[in-house]
Amino acid sequence: MAARALAGLALGVLVGPAALSESRPVVLRLSNAELALGLVPGLGGRIVELRPAGGENLLDADPRFWKEPFPPADLRTPFEPWNGHTYWVGPQSAWWTQQDLDPERRRAKAPWPPDPFHETARYEVRELSRSKARLECPFSPITGLRRRLEVELVGGRRVRIRMSATNGRTTPVAWSIYSNTRVRPDGWAYVRLASDGIKRIDSPRDTPAYPHRIVRGFFVSPPGLKPARADVPMTADVFLRPVEPQIAYFRGRRLLLKRTQPFSEARLHPEETLVELYRSSGGGSDAELLELEMHGPYETLRPGQTISFEETWEIVDYPGADEAGAHVDFLERLGAAG
């Protein structure tokens, strides 16, 4: 049975849930003629590869982490830079406030680390074809949630991703779904701003904030800027109100568009905005980061109730120069064409 299941995974055909559970592939790959996407079910179901045919991986993820044995889904498992694309819950200030396993972190309202039961969860593959996967993970005693991840290639270079979370407790919990895509930090991030579009920029006290630009109404986070002292990182955690729920990421000749459906800002938690960008530089190689983040509506879930967040990724060829003015020109042409 396990051998047949592995063969089915390699061929990308649908096989039954029991067989899929037994096989548990290390890296699960979806592909078509124009795009390849890779997930690691045994490491929190994170997406670790997004590459157009013949191109480089746009996600920031280290293949050294994509092999067994994976760290256990345990309270004391330390956080590592597994990176790729994952889902947290929001707001971050509440991460440890709805649990009893770690009273010290609950009292401190610890904003770090994220829930280890989700970060290193063993996702079971429930459905798989060449272009679609559905995975499910166990209940987390930290968030109270069971999660389901659905990923589908829906066009030449388009991906649709849906994360659903169900309250597995007998009492209510309150969360938003927090989408975090770590991309290669040598790329550029753009968000078209609404009026009063920068809600706030957070950075550690006594350290410089990573600089940004505003170009024709677009917030621009450029790559390659370094702090005066290499051991003192520059960081910026930027909370933005966008014109449309979209983040644009340019790297070389590729543009990645990360989008979700619009909804009322009133549905967000007060600490969150629809779009968030996190950028850091300096302080060691692990500190070079660029995160493209989105927040879903904040909801109180009764026992058994489910919330979900859906987004699409699209890769577009970009023929222009690697600079902000040309990037914005291209985005404006795409907007006019759309």
Side-chain angles (χ1 to χ4, degrees), residues 8-21:
L9 288 167
L11 292 171
V13 298
L14 289 175
V15 290
L20 287 164
S21 297

Side-chain angles (χ1 to χ4, degrees), residues 253-284:
R253 298 297 184 178
R254 311 291 189 187
L255 163 63
L256 170 63
L257 297 170
K258 173 176 167 133
R259 304 179 176 112
T260 190
Q261 293 297 312
F263 58 88
S264 170
E265 187 175 341
R267 299 179 64 194
L268 289 163
H269 187 277
E271 295 176 17
E272 298 181 329
T273 51
L274 177 54
V275 168
E276 180 182 352
L277 298 178
Y278 179 87
R279 169 85 82 170
S280 66
S281 175

Side-chain angles (χ1 to χ4, degrees), residues 183-191 209-215 218-227 234-236 238 248-251 277-281 288-292 322-325 327:
V183 289
R184 305 279 287 272
D186 56 349
W188 302 65
Y190 293 79
V191 177
Y210 193 95
H212 69 273
R213 307 176 198 169
I214 304 295
V215 178
F218 282 85
F219 182 96
V220 184
S221 180
L225 304 181
K226 302 294 183 181
M234 296 189 301
T235 65
V238 186
Y249 167 75
F250 286 87
R251 184 174 186 270
L277 298 178
Y278 179 87
R279 169 85 82 170
S280 66
S281 175
E288 301 288 335
L289 286 175
L290 174 56
E291 298 179 348
L292 315 180
D322 194 27
E323 58 91 17
H327 290 158

Side-chain angles (χ1 to χ4, degrees), residues 49-131:
E49 287 184 300
L50 180 71
R51 59 177 82 237
E56 294 184 311
N57 187 10
L58 294 178
L59 301 184
D60 182 12
D62 189 336
R64 291 177 299 175
F65 291 113
W66 309 351
K67 54 189 176 183
E68 296 176 321
F70 295 121
D74 183 82
L75 183 65
R76 297 304 170 191
T77 294
F79 180 86
E80 297 284 350
W82 299 298
N83 294 4
H85 171 77
T86 190
Y87 287 94
W88 293 340
V89 293
Q92 190 168 345
S93 64
W95 276 0
W96 292 89
T97 63
Q98 299 181 58
Q99 55 83 34
D100 297 318
L101 288 185
D102 193 323
E104 182 178 345
R105 284 175 173 165
R106 186 183 65 243
R107 286 193 296 270
K109 295 185 177 180
W112 195 259
D115 179 1
F117 290 93
H118 285 321
E119 284 294 287
T120 57
R122 304 303 192 256
Y123 274 75
E124 300 293 347
V125 183
R126 300 302 189 190
E127 179 183 346
L128 181 65
S129 70
R130 285 194 184 278
S131 61

